[in-house]
Amino acid sequence: MKVNGKPTRTIWPGGDGSSVEIIDQTLLPHRYEIAVLRNVDDAAHAIKAMLVRGAPLIGATAAYGLWLAMRTDPTDAGLDRAYEQLLATRPTAVNLRWALDRGRAELSELAPDTRAERALHLAAEICDEDVEINFNIGQAALPLVEKIAAIKPSGAPVNILTHCNAGWLATVDWGTATSPIYQAHDAGLPVHVWVDETRPRNQGFNLTAWELLNHGVPHTVIVDNAGGHLMQHGQVDLVFVGTDRTTASGDVCNKIGTYLKALAAHDNHVPFYVCLPSPTIDWTVHDGVREIPIEERDSREVTHVAGLDEGGGVSSVQIPPTGSPAANPAFDVTPAKYVSGLITERGICPANAEGLRKLFPAESL
């Protein structure tokens, strides 16, 4: 995708051959800066403090974190320490564990003096695989947009609502829920995106709007509670969201508020699709509501917001009265019965165990 007209990924090896560079997403949309990760501590901090976020990008960053760790301590003990340190950063997104399990399994079979080189290649492979997966998700979902566009009045846009940021900033490139949007836009189809603010942290306002603006995709930002109203009045043609973890039975864990969008879509007969790369499927979990751990984040994300002040600086302000406690569950689970379909790199399937097994027979064993 593009930043200031230049094709850009979210993570890449540094030019010095000993570091990793990322877009610091905590500074968007008002400041675009590159952060440099020089060791495994930096990588762990980037994940935990959400300089990088989104399940696929978290996995890619963890893979590069293993490389940074192997550069300084490639022993078995060093590998185990790095694995545990990175795994502890975020509990919900399954890609983190997937990337670390893959890395540890491969590296543990190698002599310590060869581990750093292999870890670097593995991280690059994971990134390239993510780009291909997300492109194919867009290819699978594009006919859904084309079908709606074909029955709209001439020139009328397909109105797509999305929640949180499942864009290229949450992946290495393309995004999941945004991949079909970008591909439709690039193909000349008229699309318009309703962008939820996505409190807390405002990932919709801060990230999704920023990347759509940079790529030239028509969009409108809305408050989180406006989606149901728009659906009632026929202003939403379909919903695309991402996921941080999907169960083997099709339940979907995503940013808090996704469940409410699914309920509104169900009530108003609006198709609600979840775009997911296969590494986000947790084949060990079947009941998302009861089995998926929900991360409880710092209450300050709820009580404070940051934005441009009148002087052009970025300021943080407190919203509720001092002394009022705040809760901050970061995710919720949408039961499979409210999901119109799961869009994967292998195609679209019903949100149930049978549908997933047909697309992924080997993985579901």
Side-chain angles (χ1 to χ4, degrees):
M1 298 291 99
K2 296 177 181 178
V3 178
N4 299 322
K6 178 183 177 182
T8 307
R9 285 187 173 188
T10 52
I11 187 169
W12 59 93
D16 59 6
S18 61
S19 64
V20 178
E21 296 183 0
I22 59 170
I23 299 171
D24 185 347
Q25 299 188 28
T26 64
L27 302 178
L28 294 174
H30 307 301
R31 289 163 53 193
Y32 174 68
E33 294 185 9
I34 304 304
V36 179
L37 313 180
R38 302 190 184 282
N39 51 55
V40 68
D41 291 342
D42 288 347
H45 172 75
I47 297 170
K48 191 173 183 63
M50 296 180 70
L51 279 72
V52 295
R53 20 73 52 215
L57 181 54
I58 288 172
T61 306
Y64 272 116
L66 286 180
W67 169 57
L68 293 172
M70 294 301 93
R71 291 190 70 253
T72 57
D73 184 3
T75 65
D76 289 346
L79 177 59
D80 289 342
R81 274 195 303 271
Y83 176 96
E84 295 298 338
Q85 180 181 2
L86 292 163
L87 184 63
T89 53
R90 299 289 302 274
T92 303
V94 74
N95 297 60
L96 174 64
R97 187 184 67 199
W98 168 84
L100 291 172
D101 284 348
R102 177 173 170 179
R104 184 163 70 172
E106 289 199 26
L107 298 177
S108 63
E109 296 295 320
L110 302 176
D113 61 354
T114 66
R115 286 175 178 173
E117 181 179 2
R118 177 55 192 149
L120 177 59
H121 288 303
L122 177 61
E125 288 172 11
I126 286 174
C127 287
D128 288 343
E129 288 171 9
D130 182 66
V131 175
E132 182 179 4
I133 284 172
N134 293 328
F135 176 79
N136 289 334
I137 287 172
Q139 288 284 289
L142 187 58
L144 299 173
V145 183
E146 293 172 331
K147 183 177 180 180
I148 294 174
I151 61 175
K152 300 275 285 192
S154 179
V158 178
N159 289 299
I160 302 168
L161 185 143
T162 190
H163 186 67
C164 194
N165 175 254
W168 70 268
L169 288 170
T171 66
V172 178
D173 206 351
W174 285 106
T176 56
T178 59
S179 185
I181 295 170
Y182 287 128
Q183 294 191 41
H185 171 77
D186 291 352
L189 290 173
V191 292
H192 168 263
V193 184
W194 295 111
V195 180
D196 282 354
E197 62 180 325
T198 320
R199 284 270 294 148
R201 294 195 70 93
N202 291 337
Q203 288 106 319
F205 280 4
N206 294 344
L207 304 177
T208 303
W210 181 83
E211 62 173 76
L212 292 173
L213 184 67
N214 269 276
H215 202 74
V217 179
H219 64 281
T220 304
V221 295
I222 57 174
V223 298
D224 286 341
N225 290 331
H229 165 78
L230 294 171
M231 293 181 201
Q232 284 181 326
H233 290 270
Q235 294 179 267
V236 179
D237 295 307
L238 74 165
V239 180
F240 285 149
V241 301
T243 173
D244 288 83
R245 186 183 301 204
T246 298
T247 71
S249 60
D251 295 340
V252 175
C253 182
N254 196 46
K255 173 72 177 185
I256 195 77
T258 303
Y259 175 43
L260 295 181
K261 294 300 183 296
L263 291 175
H266 180 77
D267 190 51
N268 291 281
H269 309 290
V270 174
F272 181 94
Y273 286 94
V274 178
C275 302
L276 64 144
S278 56
T280 61
I281 303 170
D282 190 339
W283 299 103
T284 70
V285 171
H286 297 271
D287 187 333
V289 175
R290 291 173 175 80
E291 295 182 67
I292 294 177
I294 300 299
E295 180 180 2
E296 180 77 25
R297 292 188 58 81
D298 189 342
S299 63
R300 186 180 173 87
E301 294 180 351
V302 175
T303 59
H304 290 68
V305 293
L308 279 182
D309 59 31
E310 293 182 353
V314 178
S315 300
S316 177
V317 296
Q318 178 178 308
I319 305 171
T322 300
S324 290
N328 187 13
F331 303 90
D332 59 25
V333 174
T334 299
K337 63 183 178 180
Y338 297 120
V339 178
S340 303
L342 301 173
I343 306 173
T344 79
E345 69 270 23
R346 296 186 184 179
I348 303 175
C349 71
N352 55 42
E354 182 180 5
L356 285 169
R357 281 197 301 268
K358 285 184 176 179
L359 286 184
F360 302 96
E363 293 86 343
S364 60
L365 293 176

